[in-house]
Amino acid sequence: MKSLDINQIKQYLPHRYPLLLVDRVLDWESGKSITAIKNVTVNEEFFNGHFPHKPVMPGVLMIEALAQTAALLSFLTMGTKPDDSSVVYFVGIDGARFKRPVEPGDQLRMEVEILRTARGIWKYKAQATVDGQLAVEAELMCTMRSAHDASQPAGQ
């Protein structure tokens, strides 16, 4: 079992609080899959406005947590860490479905699998569960660029 703690995760992801949404990697296999968790606490800033009377994690942040998990898998698979000029961009989200609200106190268990890579585009199957219940699923596509090439269209 290969795991990463938060300090190791921060070596692979440029995100920082409040937008770093992966707390621990439980296991990963190069070129195949990764399992990670996000501990959802009432102290998350987004709960102040979403919604004060019934706090629910925004779906877009669940997708972002899955994308960060996917980016970790890609960097681990390539055996490289990003540098200051590395940027990872979303290029597509297909079939996103939200099945269960995620609330303070939940632990989001994220599982991401590489489906394929072609022309610099990585495609993943991603899902997150809470207590074994599906919360969100989607197919994600990302590309990695250097910051000076970031304004160019994906796949070129």
XYZ file of all heavy atoms in Angstrom, residues 29-95:
503
model
N -1.740 3.214 -7.438
C -0.967 2.322 -8.296
C -0.641 3.087 -9.570
O -1.552 3.544 -10.286
C -1.755 1.055 -8.618
C -0.955 0.048 -9.408
C -1.697 -1.254 -9.654
O -2.765 -1.471 -9.061
O -1.198 -2.049 -10.472
N 0.636 3.235 -9.842
C 1.095 4.007 -10.989
C 0.426 3.549 -12.279
O 0.350 2.353 -12.567
C 2.614 3.872 -11.116
O 3.085 4.642 -12.198
N -0.098 4.523 -13.034
C -0.719 4.240 -14.320
C -2.107 3.658 -14.237
O -2.733 3.398 -15.265
N -2.619 3.464 -13.018
C -3.918 2.801 -12.874
C -4.918 3.601 -12.056
O -5.882 4.123 -12.592
C -3.736 1.423 -12.265
C -2.966 0.481 -13.159
C -3.156 -0.949 -12.764
C -2.265 -1.805 -13.619
N -2.924 -2.574 -14.592
N -4.710 3.689 -10.730
C -5.756 4.257 -9.874
C -5.189 4.841 -8.586
O -4.037 4.590 -8.229
C -6.795 3.179 -9.539
O -6.186 2.135 -8.799
N -6.071 5.589 -7.914
C -5.721 6.223 -6.652
C -6.980 6.300 -5.789
O -8.087 6.446 -6.312
C -5.133 7.641 -6.891
C -4.547 8.249 -5.611
C -6.166 8.561 -7.522
C -3.711 9.508 -5.875
N -6.797 6.190 -4.487
C -7.875 6.371 -3.518
C -7.400 7.401 -2.498
O -6.313 7.255 -1.925
C -8.229 5.051 -2.806
O -8.612 4.085 -3.790
C -9.372 5.247 -1.819
N -8.212 8.444 -2.307
C -7.847 9.532 -1.397
C -9.072 9.950 -0.603
O -10.198 9.569 -0.938
C -7.291 10.711 -2.187
N -8.845 10.743 0.441
C -9.965 11.231 1.255
C -9.894 12.743 1.447
O -8.833 13.352 1.418
C -10.036 10.549 2.640
C -8.748 10.733 3.424
C -10.417 9.089 2.503
C -8.828 10.278 4.867
N -11.072 13.299 1.638
C -11.263 14.693 2.045
C -12.149 14.664 3.275
O -13.278 14.170 3.220
C -11.934 15.488 0.916
C -12.544 16.822 1.330
C -11.501 17.819 1.741
C -12.142 19.158 2.112
N -11.421 19.791 3.199
N -11.638 15.124 4.398
C -12.437 15.240 5.613
C -13.199 16.558 5.550
O -12.596 17.618 5.468
C -11.533 15.198 6.850
C -10.866 13.850 6.999
O -11.515 12.825 6.971
N -9.548 13.856 7.124
N -14.500 16.478 5.563
C -15.351 17.652 5.418
C -15.730 18.140 6.813
O -16.373 17.409 7.563
C -16.613 17.323 4.591
C -17.479 18.558 4.401
C -16.220 16.721 3.242
N -15.317 19.373 7.134
C -15.594 19.904 8.469
C -16.469 21.145 8.374
O -16.499 21.833 7.355
C -14.304 20.273 9.224
O -13.747 21.440 8.637
C -13.301 19.138 9.201
N -17.164 21.446 9.451
C -18.035 22.620 9.503
C -17.233 23.910 9.369
O -17.784 24.949 9.049
C -18.902 22.604 10.777
C -18.081 22.980 12.012
C -20.126 23.489 10.627
N -15.927 23.860 9.573
C -15.066 25.036 9.481
C -14.732 25.438 8.047
O -14.086 26.464 7.838
C -13.765 24.806 10.250
C -14.017 24.594 11.714
O -14.891 25.209 12.301
N -13.261 23.689 12.317
N -15.153 24.650 7.052
C -14.887 24.993 5.654
C -15.571 26.321 5.344
O -16.741 26.526 5.666
C -15.445 23.917 4.719
C -15.035 22.499 5.052
C -13.659 22.104 4.570
O -12.992 22.898 3.880
O -13.244 20.982 4.883
N -14.853 27.224 4.689
C -15.382 28.558 4.419
C -16.653 28.544 3.580
O -17.541 29.369 3.778
C -14.313 29.419 3.750
C -13.204 29.811 4.705
C -12.272 30.852 4.142
O -12.710 31.663 3.308
O -11.106 30.842 4.544
N -16.768 27.602 2.661
C -17.936 27.600 1.776
C -19.241 27.318 2.515
O -20.307 27.687 2.045
C -17.759 26.624 0.607
C -17.375 25.226 0.997
C -18.318 24.320 1.463
C -16.052 24.809 0.878
C -17.958 23.028 1.812
C -15.684 23.518 1.218
C -16.642 22.629 1.689
N -19.175 26.701 3.687
C -20.411 26.424 4.437
C -21.069 27.695 4.977
O -22.261 27.688 5.272
C -20.168 25.445 5.585
C -19.990 24.024 5.141
C -18.961 23.250 5.634
C -20.862 23.446 4.227
C -18.799 21.929 5.237
C -20.699 22.125 3.817
C -19.666 21.371 4.321
N -20.311 28.791 5.099
C -20.899 30.056 5.558
C -22.010 30.532 4.628
O -22.955 31.171 5.063
C -19.829 31.145 5.674
C -18.883 30.887 6.810
O -19.266 30.356 7.848
N -17.620 31.249 6.622
N -21.896 30.224 3.348
C -22.899 30.702 2.408
C -23.626 29.602 1.662
O -24.520 29.870 0.868
N -23.267 28.336 1.907
C -23.840 27.216 1.132
C -24.224 26.066 2.043
O -23.533 25.050 2.048
C -22.833 26.748 0.088
C -23.434 25.968 -1.026
N -23.503 24.590 -1.025
C -23.995 26.366 -2.186
C -24.058 24.173 -2.152
N -24.351 25.230 -2.876
N -25.183 26.074 2.737
C -26.172 27.094 3.029
C -26.178 27.262 4.534
O -26.050 26.270 5.236
C -27.564 26.643 2.556
C -27.628 26.407 1.067
C -27.489 25.133 0.543
C -27.803 27.468 0.193
C -27.550 24.921 -0.819
C -27.884 27.251 -1.177
C -27.735 25.968 -1.694
N -26.324 28.481 5.044
C -26.233 28.688 6.495
C -27.227 27.842 7.295
O -26.890 27.348 8.372
C -26.532 30.177 6.663
C -26.226 30.789 5.337
C -26.518 29.724 4.315
N -28.412 27.607 6.755
C -29.434 26.839 7.475
C -29.303 25.327 7.254
O -29.833 24.545 8.027
C -30.837 27.315 7.067
C -31.129 27.109 5.615
N -30.589 27.920 4.647
C -31.875 26.177 4.984
C -31.000 27.492 3.453
N -31.772 26.446 3.637
N -28.596 24.904 6.202
C -28.397 23.480 5.905
C -27.089 23.345 5.125
O -27.068 23.353 3.899
C -29.570 22.946 5.077
C -29.425 21.511 4.607
C -29.518 20.533 5.745
C -29.569 19.109 5.166
N -29.012 18.155 6.060
N -25.940 23.250 5.825
C -24.647 23.229 5.136
C -24.489 22.003 4.232
O -24.663 20.866 4.668
C -23.630 23.214 6.266
C -24.376 23.117 7.541
C -25.834 23.165 7.261
N -24.181 22.270 2.960
C -23.965 21.230 1.955
C -22.730 21.610 1.141
O -22.600 22.760 0.708
C -25.192 21.100 1.021
C -24.940 20.083 -0.068
C -26.444 20.730 1.808
N -21.834 20.660 0.911
C -20.644 20.919 0.099
C -21.079 21.146 -1.350
O -21.792 20.322 -1.922
C -19.677 19.734 0.180
C -18.373 19.951 -0.541
S -17.249 18.561 -0.261
C -15.763 19.204 -1.025
N -20.639 22.252 -1.963
C -21.011 22.508 -3.356
C -20.494 21.412 -4.292
O -19.365 20.932 -4.147
C -20.330 23.844 -3.668
C -20.141 24.494 -2.338
C -19.889 23.367 -1.381
N -21.342 21.036 -5.238
C -20.978 19.989 -6.197
C -19.710 20.313 -6.964
O -18.879 19.442 -7.224
N -19.532 21.573 -7.326
C -18.348 21.967 -8.075
C -17.077 21.702 -7.260
O -16.031 21.363 -7.822
C -18.452 23.447 -8.535
C -18.393 24.390 -7.353
C -17.398 23.775 -9.553
N -17.154 21.810 -5.934
C -15.983 21.517 -5.097
C -15.742 20.020 -4.961
O -14.599 19.583 -4.821
C -16.120 22.188 -3.732
C -16.056 23.716 -3.772
C -16.184 24.298 -2.366
C -14.785 24.204 -4.448
N -16.813 19.225 -5.021
C -16.617 17.768 -5.045
C -15.889 17.364 -6.333
O -14.969 16.540 -6.307
C -17.950 17.044 -4.923
C -18.568 17.156 -3.549
S -20.024 16.114 -3.374
C -21.299 17.222 -3.938
N -16.286 17.971 -7.459
C -15.608 17.707 -8.736
C -14.159 18.177 -8.666
O -13.245 17.486 -9.119
C -16.359 18.376 -9.909
C -17.757 17.764 -10.090
C -15.541 18.316 -11.198
C -17.776 16.340 -10.620
N -13.927 19.338 -8.073
C -12.564 19.852 -7.919
C -11.714 18.907 -7.069
O -10.550 18.658 -7.389
C -12.583 21.252 -7.298
C -11.213 21.828 -6.975
C -10.311 22.085 -8.168
O -10.824 22.248 -9.295
O -9.074 22.125 -7.981
N -12.278 18.358 -5.997
C -11.545 17.402 -5.157
C -11.159 16.168 -5.974
O -10.046 15.649 -5.858
C -12.378 17.020 -3.943
N -12.070 15.688 -6.815
C -11.773 14.552 -7.690
C -10.680 14.923 -8.695
O -9.783 14.113 -8.976
C -13.027 14.083 -8.414
C -14.057 13.355 -7.552
C -15.381 13.200 -8.305
C -13.530 11.991 -7.100
N -10.741 16.132 -9.237
C -9.727 16.572 -10.203
C -8.348 16.679 -9.547
O -7.340 16.308 -10.156
C -10.134 17.908 -10.816
N -8.296 17.169 -8.318
C -7.019 17.229 -7.612
C -6.473 15.826 -7.372
O -5.268 15.581 -7.508
C -7.180 17.992 -6.297
C -7.395 19.475 -6.490
C -7.572 20.235 -5.187
O -7.171 19.777 -4.114
N -8.164 21.418 -5.283
N -7.360 14.900 -7.049
C -6.947 13.509 -6.860
C -6.407 12.938 -8.172
O -5.382 12.251 -8.188
C -8.137 12.675 -6.334
O -8.607 13.273 -5.116
C -7.728 11.239 -6.064
N -7.076 13.259 -9.287
C -6.617 12.812 -10.603
C -5.245 13.405 -10.934
O -4.362 12.705 -11.454
C -7.648 13.188 -11.666
N -5.050 14.683 -10.637
C -3.759 15.320 -10.896
C -2.649 14.646 -10.088
O -1.548 14.407 -10.610
C -3.828 16.811 -10.569
N -2.945 14.313 -8.842
C -1.962 13.575 -8.029
C -1.570 12.267 -8.713
O -0.387 11.944 -8.818
C -2.546 13.260 -6.646
C -2.476 14.344 -5.594
C -3.391 14.003 -4.422
C -1.047 14.529 -5.117
N -2.565 11.514 -9.183
C -2.292 10.242 -9.844
C -1.422 10.454 -11.079
O -0.486 9.686 -11.323
C -3.601 9.536 -10.208
C -3.460 8.225 -10.974
C -2.620 7.200 -10.210
C -4.844 7.657 -11.300
N -1.708 11.486 -11.852
C -0.917 11.745 -13.054
C 0.538 12.058 -12.714
O 1.456 11.509 -13.323
C -1.532 12.886 -13.858
O -2.803 12.513 -14.329
N 0.755 12.941 -11.740
C 2.131 13.268 -11.359
C 2.851 12.042 -10.786
O 4.019 11.799 -11.106
C 2.161 14.418 -10.353
C 1.927 15.763 -10.974
C 0.868 16.552 -10.560
C 2.764 16.249 -11.967
C 0.643 17.798 -11.131
C 2.550 17.491 -12.554
C 1.484 18.271 -12.134
N 2.162 11.257 -9.970
C 2.771 10.052 -9.418
C 3.096 9.056 -10.529
O 4.152 8.410 -10.513
C 1.841 9.416 -8.379
C 1.673 10.217 -7.081
C 0.464 9.718 -6.287
C 2.942 10.170 -6.240
N 2.213 8.926 -11.508
C 2.438 8.019 -12.643
C 3.637 8.461 -13.469
O 4.448 7.634 -13.894
C 1.167 7.956 -13.515
O 0.119 7.347 -12.752
C 1.394 7.161 -14.791
N 3.765 9.769 -13.689
C 4.889 10.289 -14.473
C 6.189 10.295 -13.675
O 7.258 10.497 -14.241
C 4.580 11.709 -14.957
C 3.470 11.756 -15.971
S 3.189 13.404 -16.669
C 2.907 14.408 -15.215
N 6.078 10.093 -12.352
C 7.277 10.097 -11.512
C 7.907 11.474 -11.411
O 9.123 11.593 -11.293
N 7.066 12.516 -11.456
C 7.576 13.874 -11.415
C 6.725 14.734 -10.496
O 5.565 14.430 -10.254
C 7.606 14.491 -12.834
O 8.240 15.758 -12.777
C 6.210 14.644 -13.400
N 7.327 15.787 -9.998
C 6.599 16.773 -9.200
C 6.500 18.048 -10.027
O 7.424 18.375 -10.776
C 7.332 17.049 -7.884
C 7.336 15.852 -6.964
C 8.081 16.133 -5.681
C 8.086 14.881 -4.816
N 8.895 15.038 -3.620
N 5.391 18.765 -9.897
C 5.265 19.997 -10.671
C 6.252 21.044 -10.177
O 6.621 21.064 -9.013
C 3.824 20.425 -10.419
C 3.460 19.804 -9.122
C 4.235 18.525 -9.031
N 6.658 21.914 -11.106
C 7.491 23.039 -10.710
C 6.637 24.308 -10.763
O 5.435 24.238 -11.010
C 8.739 23.151 -11.586
C 8.407 23.302 -13.065
O 7.309 23.799 -13.400
O 9.255 22.925 -13.882
N 7.260 25.441 -10.519
C 6.516 26.705 -10.463
C 5.879 27.084 -11.796
O 5.018 27.938 -11.842
C 7.414 27.845 -9.982
C 7.740 27.734 -8.504
O 7.012 27.009 -7.787
O 8.724 28.357 -8.072
N 6.309 26.454 -12.885
C 5.721 26.796 -14.175
C 4.695 25.749 -14.639
O 4.157 25.855 -15.729
C 6.815 26.957 -15.235
O 7.411 25.708 -15.508
N 4.390 24.741 -13.813
C 3.421 23.709 -14.179
C 2.001 24.137 -13.856
O 1.740 24.697 -12.795
C 3.704 22.406 -13.422
O 4.970 21.906 -13.735
N 1.094 23.866 -14.793
C -0.316 24.163 -14.603
C -1.109 22.957 -15.098
O -0.804 22.392 -16.143
C -0.739 25.422 -15.404
C -2.203 25.738 -15.179
C 0.129 26.612 -15.062
N -2.121 22.544 -14.320
C -3.016 21.464 -14.739
C -4.385 22.085 -14.972
O -4.914 22.774 -14.099
C -3.119 20.348 -13.673
C -4.071 19.257 -14.132
C -1.747 19.764 -13.377
N -4.938 21.860 -16.166
C -6.235 22.431 -16.520
C -7.261 21.344 -16.781
O -6.937 20.306 -17.363
C -6.127 23.259 -17.812
C -5.470 24.586 -17.646
C -4.291 24.867 -18.306
C -6.037 25.576 -16.863
C -3.688 26.100 -18.184
C -5.434 26.809 -16.730
C -4.258 27.062 -17.395
O -3.659 28.275 -17.263
N -8.490 21.628 -16.396
C -9.635 20.843 -16.844
C -9.830 21.102 -18.326
O -9.763 22.251 -18.769
C -10.918 21.347 -16.167
C -11.386 20.548 -15.000
C -11.720 21.197 -13.834
C -11.545 19.176 -15.071
C -12.188 20.503 -12.744
C -12.004 18.479 -13.993
C -12.331 19.132 -12.825
N -10.109 20.069 -19.111
C -10.518 20.289 -20.497
C -11.891 19.676 -20.757
O -12.465 19.885 -21.813
C -9.478 19.778 -21.526
C -8.202 20.594 -21.414
C -9.193 18.303 -21.367
N -12.418 18.931 -19.781
C -13.761 18.403 -19.950
C -14.257 17.631 -18.744
O -13.468 17.067 -17.986
N -15.558 17.660 -18.581
C -16.246 16.886 -17.552
C -17.453 16.263 -18.233
O -18.288 16.977 -18.791
C -16.725 17.771 -16.375
C -15.560 18.539 -15.765
C -17.433 16.925 -15.319
C -15.994 19.629 -14.797
N -17.531 14.944 -18.219
C -18.656 14.236 -18.843
C -19.404 13.418 -17.799
O -18.787 12.838 -16.896
C -18.170 13.287 -19.944
C -17.579 14.015 -21.135
O -18.039 15.138 -21.427
O -16.653 13.462 -21.767
N -20.704 13.355 -17.964
C -21.528 12.457 -17.162
C -21.515 12.729 -15.671
O -21.701 11.801 -14.886
